[in-house]
Each structure stands twice: as structure tokens, then as C-alpha cells.
Amino acid sequence: MSGERILGIDFGGTKVALGLAGRDGNLLATRRLDTDAQAGAEQVVVRALAGARALLADAGVTPTAIGVVSPGIVLPDRILLAPNVPGWEELHLAELVAAEFPDVPISVGTDAKAAALAEWRWGALDGADPAVFLSLGTGIAAAVLIGGRLLTGANGAAGEIGYNLRSPQDTEGFASGAAPLEEAVGGRGLGGRASELLGRPVTAGELFALAKENVEAKELVTAALDELSMHVANLAIALDPQRIAVGGGLVRSADVLLPALADRLAHAVPFPPELVSARFDQDAALLGAVALALGG
């Protein structure tokens, strides 16, 4: 391979994605490995860096820049709001990657925010201002771009709508260790409630498929979408975005999900934004890592 090559590393809750790309965002080579979260955080990073070395060796290149993304708020000495992998919040992620690649510029960031950069640079948010990327999967988050620049917030936590309160009775929320909205309408929460309801293990994706013929599943999905769409409408009212792109694992059920969101936006928001599916599916955060390495 010739030309500038960017290495992207996407640490997820269940898998790690590695990719090599050019400045145009085209992935030239990829690898994936299981996170194996219960074995702890350090082994994930060790295996991911070994995989990255192998990917680069196979391609015969040295990266000119590296982007690394993860759930949570990635700081130099720890990662906040990322409890799903034991030990993840104590990781010095940038330092560990820099030790493996000491002469390469490294950028680190939050996966959903990085995915928004990829959608703005190469995907469904191109030209939109303001723009919102809505990540609906195991977790729930939003990322806001103004003039193509991410709104990070004072603590890097802008858009963490999974912590939204659901009612006046939610008096503690984060202080009690809860992420109220994410637990209610995120993929893990939906799958757990569906499994209880139906008496067998059910994923969120299976729940959406079952809702087309099973009354109980349909009621559960309808209630979740009613609640989620209310929060998305409130977000649109607060930010007045030009376009919202929806990504994440739940967008595989776009035929059910997007009409519910669009209907609420059309009726509740004074100036309804355009609502679209994100361009990138499985590789959104990985391409986001590449975009991050390129300077956003």
C-alpha cells in the first residue's frame, strides 16, 4: 500500500474493531476480536495492540496517525462513565497505545462523538449545521456538531442522554448509579425486559422482529419508542438541528424505529429536522477513530 495510512482502534463493549484507512475514510483492511469483558480491561488492550501490529505487518505499512475510541469520557489518566468492562475506568488508554507506537501521533475520544465526525466528514451529516448523531445500541448517546466541530461540554460529557431522567420521580439518576433512559430503551435494557416477558433469552433486534406478530413484544417496543421519541424531540427543540442521523445497532430495525421518531419530531418540534439513517453501520466508531486522527 502507498500513501498516508491511518490506524483506527474502536474498543467496544463486546468487540474491538481495527482498521487501516486513507484520508478519504475508505477502510483498506480490518480485523475484529472479542472484547471478552469479564477477563478485564488490560487483556483487551494487550490483544488489540497485538492485532493492530499484525494488521500493519500484513499491509506492510507504518501508520502516520492513530485514532482510538472507547465508550465513556476518555481522559489521560482514566475513562469516565464506562462501567461495562471491569477495570476500564482505570485505564491510561492513550499512554498504553503510545507505549506501543511511540513515534506516531495518537488521538483518543468517545466512540459516539467520533462516529459523528465520520458521518459529518464522509456520511449522512455532510453539510448539516447544526447536526446531531444519535447512537442507539447497547447504550444511548447523542453527539452534536456545530460548524463541523463537536460540542464536548465542560467535562467531555455533552450528549450523554442515556443519563436523562424519565420522570419527576427520578430524583437521583446518576448519583444512584443509574443511567435511566439507557436502561429503559437501550439495547441491553430492552433485551433484558423482553427476555423476562417471553421467558427465554431475547436480544433487542429479535424483540423488534417479534413485535410484528407478538402482541406483548409489540406493546414493549411501542412503549420504548414512545419514550425514546419524546427525548429525541426534546433534544431537537433545545438544539434546533438541521439534520439528525441515527446509527447504532438498533438502526437495523429502522423500518420500525425511524417512522416512530419522525412522527414525534413532525408533531412536537417547531422546526422539525431532517431525520436520516447514518451512512455507516458496523464501522461508524472505527471510521470515527480515523476521523479523530485526521483532526476531526
Side-chain angles (χ1 to χ4, degrees), residues 233-246:
N234 284 340
L235 183 68
I237 291 166
L239 297 173
D240 189 25
Q242 181 181 353
R243 188 180 306 144
I244 297 176
V246 185

Side-chain angles (χ1 to χ4, degrees), residues 39-240:
E42 206 162 306
Q43 58 84 27
V44 183
V45 179
V46 169
R47 289 191 297 110
L49 292 176
R53 278 289 182 199
L55 181 70
L56 292 166
D58 288 348
V61 300
T62 299
T64 50
I66 299 173
V68 184
V69 299
S70 157
I73 311 305
V74 184
L75 302 177
D77 59 343
R78 63 194 185 283
I79 300 173
L80 307 179
L81 307 184
N84 291 329
V85 178
W88 200 255
E89 293 184 329
E90 284 75 50
L91 279 182
H92 298 199
L93 191 54
E95 186 178 305
L96 290 168
V97 179
E100 186 73 19
F101 298 98
D103 301 317
V104 183
I106 294 165
S107 302
V108 296
T110 300
D111 50 6
K113 287 184 174 64
L117 285 174
E119 290 291 343
W120 186 81
R121 185 183 274 265
W122 301 299
L125 293 176
D126 179 29
D129 188 22
V132 172
F133 175 73
L134 189 61
S135 178
L136 304 178
T138 301
I140 301 291
V144 181
L145 291 142
I146 300 171
R149 297 181 64 85
L150 279 170
L151 176 65
T152 57
N155 301 287
E160 293 290 339
I161 63 171
Y163 293 94
N164 279 13
L165 302 179
R166 302 173 60 204
S167 75
Q169 286 69 47
D170 282 337
T171 55
E172 294 185 355
F174 176 74
S176 65
L181 182 61
E182 182 169 295
E183 290 166 14
V185 302
R188 180 175 287 122
L190 280 177
R193 289 211 306 288
S195 299
E196 268 184 46
L197 182 69
L198 300 172
R200 61 180 176 84
V202 178
T203 66
E206 291 167 343
L207 171 65
F208 275 88
L210 285 169
K212 295 174 183 177
E213 55 190 38
N214 182 291
V215 173
E216 292 176 306
K218 183 176 182 179
E219 288 176 352
L220 180 54
V221 166
T222 299
L225 291 180
D226 282 347
E227 181 160 4
L228 174 63
S229 64
M230 176 186 71
H231 288 269
V232 175
N234 284 340
L235 183 68
I237 291 166
L239 297 173
D240 189 25

Side-chain angles (χ1 to χ4, degrees), residues 11-22:
F11 287 99
T14 58
K15 54 85 182 165
V16 179
L18 309 169
L20 197 59

